[in-house]
Amino acid sequence: MKKLSFLFISLLTAFAFTGCTDGLDNIEYNPSNGVILSAPVSAAETSSSLTVTSTMNGNVGVVLKKGFCYSANVQNPTIKDYVVDADENFSATITGLMGGTTYYIRAYVYGDSRYVYSETFTVTTGVASLEEYVAPAYVDNYVDIAAWSSRGKWNLANVHDPTVVLAEDGYYYMYQTDASYGNAHLAGGHFHGRRSKDLVNWEYLGGTMKELPEWVIPKLNEIRAEMGLEATTANSADFGYWAPCVRKVKNGLYRMYYSIVCPGTISGDGTWSERAFIGLMENDNPANNDGWVDKGYVITNASDKGLDFNVAANNYENSYYKWNAIDPSYFIDKDSKHWLIYGSWHSGIALVELDAESGKVKAELPKPWGTTGEEIAAYGKLIATRNMRSRWQASEGPEIIYHDGYYYLFLAYDELSVAYNTRVARAEHIEGPYFSMDGTNVTTNGGDILPVVTHPYKFNGSDGWVGISHCCVFDDGNGNWYFASQGRFPKNAGGNASSNDLMMGHVRKIRWTEDGWPLVMPERYGAVPQDKIEESELIGNWEHIDLSYSFGNQKTSTQMTLTEDHKVSAGPWAGATWSYDAENQVLTANGVKLYLQRETDWEASPRTHTIVYAGYGDNNKTYWGKKSK
């Protein structure tokens, strides 16, 4: 199985966590202390700010503090959410709001060791113009709020291997691998969730699985006994909880496939790692985070080497397992067939058909070993591999979508701490063959996929990002597509020896090229108004990145200058010409079509909006860029 190096160092005792959420798990909420609050009312409003007032009556002499709690997601916010203090008139101005966003606001007072809240006031800010645009304010370096007690402020902090579904209630729900800076998540169960209405402000929901499912250890011991091995001595804390995939099946039915990684090895002398399981949970309403019901075992690792599992631990190319049962992706194709796509680092990516009613494998599964591939065919068929001859290849995290006649297979390449990058291939049929943009048939021939979709990078004024992959891809039902993944800080950023364990959830927009390939935007989504981009705005300096593959290296930007006479006067394309298709927002420079989008400039201080581009050039190279201020 893949060797992960999660260096989640327990640093919680070393942090000086501050802010209003300290110790909140022990606070008694909303009992009576004799104070009666009116619901807030709003006075002056703009797209980014509003003034609210409230009144209090009753036992006001006990009041030590008063203010307002607000959130874009939590309908009954508390002081675990955003807070602003009130003045002597019980009034306050809330700033830094996103335009066109619904906010929930409650007045609160603290006194007699109690917090008391008013009814909720709901208000929607006006749609911002570019001049009024307020960028997201949450911090990327979230060390100061990494503790479990500060989880109400996490937003997209501590996100790893995200999966996103748009539910019936209009919320996007996100779930993830168990991973966090300082292991803060350990207090809250497994496969943690959060939700958002706008893909910018995320409400933390907590774990969806409270403990190891009852079937896991008995199933593991059943297989071990059949293999002639002793029962496991592991306990529930030793298991890994990785890489869920959530999908809406229909109204009132949501499925989450998840990975349980078993500890230990499959023989006493440590020849090869223990297997993993993929299981299934269902829910009729993801708003009920405790409503996920476990449906049990789906599939496990399969081997075509029979019971000859004494493969040397470092003989990766000849590993015992053919399929590695982690990183599930669930997809319902255009013909309403249900499929499970899974695999990591071994022979490649497998596809197996599911029964639509149960969500389990449609074929009867034999014992998970045989002496030929045919004997374990029920465990899936190969749809993508980097190397037909090796069983140790750095690809994982499959994600399939359907768009305009093609099935697109996104894959994570290389190790996750720094080098992680994303590739995409496509096929006319879900079973393949899948082709790289350069024509490589990665199903029947194997080979590296192009194009590179994301890659470690750095714009000026920041540490940049590494480990950007294991994506989910989803749309809003209105033709807008998004790419979500983890992003990690580089190693030793800012002198923090554990900075690479800072994992921020990234959401990016996707644009599609004229020949149908997805382009992921270089800056994260921040709900920037999409005013028409005028040609005059393109003149000036750009930060240009050649995002071509380079193992473990952050690709850095160089300055490229576009002049008014349609020349490229500086940078790697100096001497070339440029033109602009304003209708389709495509800049062509040096013969490369660069697709434009207005996005947040996350590196600017203060953050603001800018114009970015992404494009594919000759030799299937990928280019990213953003307009310099």
Side-chain angles (χ1 to χ4, degrees), residues 236-256:
S236 61
D238 299 325
F239 289 75
Y241 303 80
W242 292 356
C245 175
V246 64
R247 297 282 189 265
K248 177 183 174 184
V249 181
K250 59 184 178 181
N251 285 346
L253 178 59
Y254 298 81
R255 284 181 176 155
M256 184 192 299

Side-chain angles (χ1 to χ4, degrees), residues 166 172 199 473-482 509 525:
L166 177 58
Y172 295 91
L199 298 175
V473 179
F474 59 97
D475 70 323
D476 65 358
N478 296 308
N480 298 302
W481 286 85
Y482 300 88
K509 284 291 294 287
Y525 179 73

Side-chain angles (χ1 to χ4, degrees), residues 31-342:
S32 173
N33 63 3
V35 181
I36 301 171
L37 297 176
S38 67
V41 295
S42 175
E45 297 180 14
T46 72
S47 63
S48 61
S49 68
L50 57 89
T51 299
V52 287
T53 59
S54 180
T55 59
M56 59 182 181
N57 294 288
N59 190 24
V60 297
V62 303
V63 174
L64 300 175
K65 187 176 182 179
K66 58 183 180 290
F68 298 89
C69 313
Y70 63 100
S71 172
N73 287 305
V74 182
Q75 296 188 15
N76 292 300
T78 70
I79 60 166
K80 288 185 177 182
D81 300 295
Y82 293 102
V83 176
V84 60
D85 293 335
D87 62 19
E88 66 276 8
N89 298 316
F90 215 136
S91 177
T93 298
I94 302 173
T95 61
L97 303 178
M98 300 285 292
T101 302
T102 298
Y103 286 91
Y104 307 99
I105 306 170
R106 292 205 291 179
Y108 81 89
V109 296
Y110 176 75
D112 195 22
S113 301
R114 294 170 173 83
Y115 283 89
V116 174
Y117 298 91
S118 72
E119 295 296 318
T120 300
F121 169 62
T122 303
V123 62
T124 300
T125 56
V127 177
S129 66
L130 281 176
E131 291 74 20
E132 298 176 305
Y133 175 68
V134 176
Y138 63 83
V139 297
D140 288 335
N141 189 337
Y142 59 85
V143 169
D144 290 342
I145 59 167
W148 178 250
S149 61
S150 295
R151 62 194 179 278
K153 294 182 177 181
W154 281 0
N155 203 6
L156 285 172
N158 281 329
V159 168
H160 189 76
D161 303 338
T163 179
V164 177
V165 65
L166 177 58
E168 298 160 58
D169 60 6
Y171 278 97
Y172 295 91
Y173 288 84
M174 177 186 289
Y175 307 91
Q176 65 176 84
T177 285
D178 281 22
S180 62
Y181 186 76
N183 287 324
H185 70 280
L186 294 179
H190 310 290
F191 304 119
H192 294 236
R194 58 196 84 199
R195 68 177 183 175
S196 174
K197 284 276 187 156
D198 59 9
L199 298 175
V200 177
N201 301 285
W202 292 84
E203 172 193 1
Y204 187 76
L205 300 176
T208 60
M209 178 186 285
K210 301 309 178 188
E211 57 190 15
L212 184 71
E214 294 180 355
W215 60 266
V216 173
I217 291 179
K219 184 66 176 179
L220 176 59
N221 284 334
E222 171 193 321
I223 294 173
R224 288 182 65 86
E226 291 173 332
M227 296 176 72
L229 303 174
E230 295 181 356
T232 181
T233 59
N235 58 53
S236 61
D238 299 325
F239 289 75
Y241 303 80
W242 292 356
C245 175
V246 64
R247 297 282 189 265
K248 177 183 174 184
V249 181
K250 59 184 178 181
N251 285 346
L253 178 59
Y254 298 81
R255 284 181 176 155
M256 184 192 299
Y257 290 85
Y258 58 84
S259 307
I260 299 291
V261 182
C262 302
T265 62
I266 57 174
S267 69
D269 56 0
T271 53
W272 202 253
S273 299
E274 184 55 273
R275 66 184 58 253
F277 293 118
I278 292 174
L280 170 64
M281 293 194 291
E282 291 184 346
N283 197 341
D284 61 3
N285 178 14
N288 178 7
N289 199 55
D290 296 324
W292 290 96
V293 178
D294 197 82
K295 297 295 182 178
Y297 168 74
V298 176
I299 206 165
T300 189
N301 293 38
S303 173
D304 56 0
K305 295 181 181 294
L307 292 177
D308 182 17
F309 45 79
N310 291 306
V311 179
N314 61 355
N315 188 3
Y316 302 132
E317 292 80 5
N318 192 36
S319 68
Y320 174 69
Y321 298 118
K322 181 175 184 179
W323 305 126
N324 190 11
I326 66 169
D327 295 355
S329 184
Y330 171 46
F331 191 76
I332 304 171
D333 71 14
K334 63 182 179 65
D335 299 317
S336 299
K337 290 184 177 181
H338 294 232
W339 303 90
L340 182 72
I341 307 97
Y342 70 98

Side-chain angles (χ1 to χ4, degrees), residues 587-604:
L587 163 67
T588 300
N590 197 36
V592 178
K593 290 187 176 181
L594 304 169
Y595 291 72
L596 303 181
Q597 185 93 8
R598 294 193 189 274
E599 294 293 354
T600 303
D601 189 339
W602 291 83
E603 293 78 29

